[in-house]
């Protein structure tokens, strides 16, 4: 089975590449390989790769920058998704589209259901919500959407690596404690995406690691476990701060926990784990990478 993954430089695409087996081949395509604004180019690439399925991991994810670079955000998060959907419909290829907790307004207090109304509060969230709608409108009969949140991995830049780096450079850190969500290791997300692709799942699903945390909770755990694994030689104080103490161009959802009820019957090859357990495993792998 040949699975084309759009967004080859991202964390998810690189984790997917590591899942390759004798039965499953991944073809990773980036901006230098395919023009997602050009439907004929997408079709040509899918045909030449003999694609049996597509996982769209490409996205404009610079949340703050999106507020001023709106055209780029909507191009990649909406127009590209529409183009991919229409090309895959033409070729009868299943699509897995990765989306985000940012499609919700973050004003809730209980985990968001897949059926809850989308009310994004910024350009990034709106562009991703529009992308979901574009896929559903064009190709609902042979595609699925997997929403996730707070993604990190051993690859690329992310919150986990940033906290480790800053812990070696600063005397102390102030981390937001009133935004609540679920950290998600990209490796587990990759397995869920592959699961959905192989089973040709239809509809909207949520995938994050289990449990909830604030960014402050997450940062404290990162530093603690990084020190345990000798990725840090010392720890520094981490202070909880409020969102209003750290203003950003784009608003973030205060609460963006996603409901995952029933996932064990949907993603049958994917084992859900608590975020702290996944974080520990990721840091163990980071240690191995540093020694290779």
């Amino acid at each position: 089975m040949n699975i084309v993954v759009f967004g080859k430089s991202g964390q998810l695409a690189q984790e997917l590449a590591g899942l390759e087996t004798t039965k499953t081949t991944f073809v990773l395509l980036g901006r230098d390989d395919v023009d997602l604004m050009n439907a004929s180019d997408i079709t040509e690439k899918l045909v030449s790769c003999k694609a049996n399925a597509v996982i769209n991991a490409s996205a404009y994810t610079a949340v703050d920058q999106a507020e001023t670079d709106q055209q780029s955000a909507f191009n990649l998060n909406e127009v590209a998704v529409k183009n991919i959907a229409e090309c895959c419909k033409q070729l009868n290829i299943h699509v897995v589209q990765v989306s985000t907790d940012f499609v919700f307004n973050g004003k809730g207090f209980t985990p968001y259901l897949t059926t809850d109304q989308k009310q994004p509060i910024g350009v990034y969230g709106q562009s991703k919500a529009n992308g979901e709608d574009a896929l559903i409108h064009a190709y609902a009969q042979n595609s699925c959407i997997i929403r996730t949140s707070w993604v990190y991995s051993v690859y690329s830049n992310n919150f986990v690596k940033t906290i480790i780096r800053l812990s070696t450079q600063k005397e102390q850190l102030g981390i937001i404690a009133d935004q609540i969500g679920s950290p998600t290791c990209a490796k587990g997300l990759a397995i869920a995406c592959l699961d959905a692709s192989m089973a040709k799942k239809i509809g909207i699903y949520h995938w994050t690691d289990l449990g909830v945390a604030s960014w402050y909770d997450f940062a404290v755990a990162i530093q603690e476990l990084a020190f345990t694994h000798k990725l840090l030689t010392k720890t520094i104080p981490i202070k909880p701060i409020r969102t209003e103490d750290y203003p950003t161009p784009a608003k973030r959802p205060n609460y963006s926990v996603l409901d995952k009820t029933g996932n064990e019957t949907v993603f049958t090859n994917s084992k859900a784990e608590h975020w702290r357990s996944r974080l520990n495993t990721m840091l163990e792998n980071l240690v191995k990478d540093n020694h290779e």
Side-chain angles (χ1 to χ4, degrees):
M1 184 171 180
N2 293 329
I3 301 176
V4 166
V5 180
F6 293 117
K8 75 175 182 183
S9 61
Q11 302 177 86
L12 178 56
Q14 293 177 78
E15 291 287 4
L16 281 164
L19 300 178
E20 191 160 288
T21 68
T22 53
K23 294 180 180 178
T24 309
T25 300
F26 292 98
V27 181
L28 274 53
L29 300 177
R31 64 185 67 184
D32 296 331
D33 307 305
V34 61
D35 180 4
L36 295 179
M37 296 298 103
N38 186 330
S40 61
D41 193 33
I42 296 171
T43 300
E44 182 184 318
K45 289 296 190 302
L46 293 176
V47 171
S48 66
C49 293
K50 297 180 180 177
N52 304 116
V54 162
I55 297 174
N56 184 27
S58 69
Y60 187 105
T61 57
V63 176
D64 289 325
Q65 194 174 324
E67 293 298 310
T68 51
D69 189 16
Q70 297 187 15
Q71 192 63 57
S72 296
F74 281 99
N75 278 347
L76 194 51
N77 293 345
E78 179 184 4
V79 178
V81 177
K82 177 176 178 287
N83 290 342
I84 291 167
E86 290 176 348
C87 295
C88 288
K89 182 178 182 180
Q90 178 187 335
L91 299 169
N92 192 30
I93 294 172
H94 182 267
V95 179
V96 174
Q97 168 67 25
V98 181
S99 194
T100 173
D101 57 322
F102 273 70
V103 300
F104 300 117
N105 64 21
K107 295 178 181 178
F109 298 97
T110 57
Y112 283 97
L113 305 174
T114 58
T115 53
D116 281 343
Q117 184 179 358
K118 293 179 286 195
Q119 290 183 324
I121 54 177
V123 172
Y124 167 68
Q126 188 64 61
S127 66
K128 291 294 287 184
N130 287 11
E132 289 188 8
D133 292 341
L135 178 64
I136 291 167
H137 179 75
Y139 199 34
Q141 67 270 30
N142 197 20
S143 66
C144 74
I145 293 163
I146 300 178
R147 297 185 185 127
T148 190
S149 65
W150 299 23
V151 178
Y152 67 91
S153 80
V154 295
Y155 302 107
S156 306
N157 295 318
N158 52 65
F159 186 76
V160 173
K161 288 185 171 182
T162 297
I163 292 299
I164 294 172
R165 175 175 54 80
L166 291 177
S167 295
T168 67
Q169 298 173 347
K170 305 285 187 181
E171 296 293 321
Q172 68 173 35
L173 295 174
I175 304 295
I176 291 172
D178 57 358
Q179 292 175 18
I180 309 298
S182 297
T184 305
C185 184
K187 187 164 189 175
L189 175 61
I191 295 169
C193 288
L194 176 58
D195 214 352
S197 184
M198 298 290 281
K200 295 190 175 182
K201 293 294 181 183
I202 307 299
I204 300 175
Y205 305 97
H206 290 163
W207 180 274
T208 69
D209 291 334
L210 302 178
V212 300
S214 68
W215 288 109
Y216 166 77
D217 298 327
F218 193 21
V220 169
I222 292 164
Q223 184 177 245
E224 176 190 319
L225 291 170
F227 180 73
T228 299
H229 289 296
K230 297 186 168 61
L231 287 162
L232 291 172
T233 57
K234 63 182 179 67
T235 60
I236 61 171
I238 299 178
K239 307 290 186 184
I241 64 173
R242 296 171 300 178
T243 296
E244 62 195 58
D245 297 326
Y246 188 74
T248 56
K251 281 186 176 181
R252 265 69 172 173
N254 286 342
Y255 180 92
S256 62
V257 179
L258 301 175
D259 181 83
K260 298 167 286 289
T261 305
N263 270 8
E264 63 277 1
T265 61
V266 174
F267 303 102
T268 53
N269 296 309
S270 309
K271 183 177 181 293
E273 293 182 30
H274 192 275
W275 66 262
R276 191 178 170 97
S277 172
R278 284 280 191 193
L279 173 62
N280 188 61
T281 302
M282 175 270 190
L283 292 173
E284 287 176 348
N285 290 331
L286 199 57
V287 171
K288 290 177 186 174
D289 289 348
N290 288 346
H291 286 108
E292 286 178 359

